[in-house]
Amino acid sequence: MFSALRRCPASLSRNVSSVALSSRVLRTSLVQTPSAVRLAVPRLPVIATQAFHQSAKWYQTAEAAAEAEAEAVEDEYEPNNGPVTKFKDLALRGLVHPNLVNTITNSMKLETMTDVQTRTINEALSGVDVMAQAKTGTGKTLGFLIPIIQRMIDADPQLGDRVHGYKRARPDDIRAIVISPTRELAEQIAVEAKKICSGTGVIVQCAVGGTQKRAMLQKTQREGCHLMIATPGRLMDILSDPYSRIEAPHLTALVMDEADRLMEQGFQEEIDKIKTFLPDPDQVERQNLMFSATLNKNVVRLVKDTMRPGFHFAKCVNEDEAPTHDRIPQKLVEVVGFENIMPTLYELALKMHLNPQERNGRPFKAIIYFNSTSEVKLAASVFYKLSGGFKRNTPLGGLKAFEIHSKLSQQGRTRASEGFRFATSGLLFSSDVTARGMDFPNVTHVIQVGLPREAETYVHRLGRTGRAGKEGEGWLIITPLERHEVKRRLREMPLVKDESLEVPKVDMSVSGVIPEEAAKLIESSVEAHQRINPEELQDAFRGLFGSFQWYSDKNRLIESANRLAEFGWAMSTPPPPPASVFGGGRGRGGGGGRGALEAVVEAAEMVVLETAAADLEVSMIDEVAEAAAWPISTLTNGIAPRRTF
DNA sequence: ACCTGTA
């Protein structure tokens, strides 16, 4: 082996040490799994010679090694042709380039695939379209990144290697695009993509709003781009700009993350426009991958419009496993009026922050969701005053507080999400910008103020806690105005009324005997509001009417809002309600549920994968049972050919 | 004048 190395150019000599290193790592890890020790011998040449793609000798060695491994795998492992469930096996079976897999197993230390990953990776590697229904926080990002990156390498084997791939990158030959509904999510995906591509020649770029377009263009023109992770607005901006020199004439994969969200009003038009700048799928064959937590009418339409016949439907929502919203305990707090909300949050935060022993000592880390930006801003400001700047020796001392919403600069947003991500204990006052997909570790509480717009929103927000097997709890704080609608809109949720807090029960509009502790909290809250910029209060007042657009009894709404201004903010005269309040609101149609699922089934003949990852079989929705008569093993081995590197 | 998503 080393005689071969000596023949290589001097410039590559530094690879020798890394080769030695990776061999060593490999050897140690294999010793621990006796069944795999035998694989060490044929395995080594593949890794050791990864810089010599050009040599025919390399190909022979690699092919022989792959063959030997595959045979060994078939000898050793019992289900030899089932779906791959270990990342390591993706390389051993020649399905994914070792440079990609090694990063995942060695640097990222990932071993076993999650359910979503098993299903999407096995399926999508073959090139078919996949519509995956999966909860957030289940690792679906890797589920789509691995197959699209691997398929890029298939199309252009030089991309498998770092040195050769880099030289060939161009800005006008993007091979795959991932679209996400928020900037933060796009960035989170881009970070992961860059990580797993670090051993390959695949160049990843991220295009989101709020950043300097020029700088991004220059970087992309200089470095090129194979995989673009983007938000709709900026992507449209770049593709439609004739001077950007960024194009995707050979686009082979399009991924829509949070597809249900991307199909909502506002986004959908933009996506349609973007598609006009992408090559016609009839001319350039394109793989479509969609990820969606729910199947509503919009998603069905998307499926009908863009998925190619014969696409796969991977239902990764396990029926026997409780969904997020059943697994996480949820408490419902009904307050007397809007004026009770802020002091109630104060009471709750104090209680949770000061009693970590009730959570096995886990520090309090909460996201507090509001329905409008202005409410987020106000709550953040009020808490800052309440806590005396979160300094030590104050009741909320030790907490770090952040606010995040779209009216913040992108710099501010990044600072907030990074800050909260790395904080051991803290509060994040947030709009729905973080409701989906964002991964903040160790969130102990998700507190929602006011009824969320949709049940879907409620579930997504709730999903920010209880991640990675950790515990968490949800709190929903509502006023009597929302009581009825909560019962209707959130009837599926196991909300349990909570009576443990004092402040919510206090009628602040009448004088009476109030528990001393509650009185103190209310007093400090009102006092804090008096030190808030009046314009901020006005904004929040107007924002409230926006959040309550759905609420038809406008007189009661105005009355309740006035109480807030009077007793919660100590204003002598409440601000005027916005004129639009008297315009009247429109109702909205529902969707989703069982009917939508059936519609998806009818939309195409599909294979439905529904069983546990470890023992994957095909089970089917009745109508398509006959069409999908082939077992999963055939499907995986038949469509996805074994690759050699 | 509810949230996201280009300037």
Side-chain angles (χ1 to χ4, degrees), chain A residues 626-637:
Chain A
E626 284 168 38
W630 16 317
I632 178 67
S633 52
T634 321
L635 199 137
T636 309
N637 282 355

Side-chain angles (χ1 to χ4, degrees), chain A residues 504-553:
Chain A
K505 304 171 192 160
V506 176
D507 186 339
M508 291 165 60
S509 66
V510 294
S511 50
V513 184
I514 298 169
E516 199 188 331
E517 198 52 37
K520 265 197 241 167
L521 295 169
I522 291 171
E523 206 173 287
S524 356
S525 167
V526 175
E527 190 265 339
H529 280 89
Q530 286 177 295
R531 291 187 285 141
I532 298 287
N533 177 357
E535 266 186 43
E536 210 175 316
L537 291 174
Q538 291 238 1
D539 276 354
F541 194 79
R542 297 158 66 89
L544 197 63
F545 287 93
S547 309
F548 277 80
Q549 229 175 1
W550 58 272
Y551 190 71
S552 52
D553 188 346

Side-chain angles (χ1 to χ4, degrees), chain A residues 360 362 443-444 465-467 469-473:
Chain A
N360 300 322
R362 282 180 80 202
V443 171
T444 54
T465 189
R467 294 170 82 81
K470 303 236 172 72
E471 283 180 14
E473 60 187 52

Side-chain angles (χ1 to χ4, degrees), chain A residues 447-641:
Chain A
I447 303 168
Q448 312 196 30
V449 176
L451 176 68
R453 275 174 285 285
E454 316 266 348
E456 256 173 50
T457 311
Y458 175 87
V459 176
H460 279 290
R461 289 168 167 185
L462 192 64
R464 296 317 99 210
T465 189
R467 294 170 82 81
K470 303 236 172 72
E471 283 180 14
E473 60 187 52
W475 288 69
L476 176 63
I477 300 175
I478 58 149
T479 57
L481 281 73
E482 297 149 287
R483 184 191 301 147
H484 180 70
E485 189 61 16
V486 164
K487 281 193 193 133
R488 205 184 66 82
R489 219 181 277 183
L490 302 180
R491 61 181 176 280
E492 316 257 316
M493 310 301 154
L495 282 157
V496 177
K497 242 189 173 174
D498 181 274
E499 304 282 355
S500 69
L501 302 176
E502 291 297 333
V503 174
K505 304 171 192 160
V506 176
D507 186 339
M508 291 165 60
S509 66
V510 294
S511 50
V513 184
I514 298 169
E516 199 188 331
E517 198 52 37
K520 265 197 241 167
L521 295 169
I522 291 171
E523 206 173 287
S524 356
S525 167
V526 175
E527 190 265 339
H529 280 89
Q530 286 177 295
R531 291 187 285 141
I532 298 287
N533 177 357
E535 266 186 43
E536 210 175 316
L537 291 174
Q538 291 238 1
D539 276 354
F541 194 79
R542 297 158 66 89
L544 197 63
F545 287 93
S547 309
F548 277 80
Q549 229 175 1
W550 58 272
Y551 190 71
S552 52
D553 188 346
K554 297 298 179 193
N555 285 328
R556 189 176 177 202
L557 178 60
I558 294 172
E559 218 170 276
S560 309
N562 285 348
R563 272 176 61 122
L564 167 65
E566 194 176 337
F567 305 110
W569 303 350
M571 282 182 166
S572 47
T573 34
S580 56
V581 171
F582 306 100
R586 278 180 297 141
R588 253 182 293 172
R594 187 167 293 274
L597 174 64
E598 276 153 13
V600 173
V601 171
E602 282 159 20
E605 294 181 339
M606 298 167 297
V607 179
V608 179
L609 314 171
E610 258 190 295
T611 45
D615 180 24
L616 198 65
E617 300 168 359
V618 174
S619 78
M620 288 138 286
I621 292 178
D622 302 343
E623 297 94 291
V624 292
E626 284 168 38
W630 16 317
I632 178 67
S633 52
T634 321
L635 199 137
T636 309
N637 282 355
I639 298 182

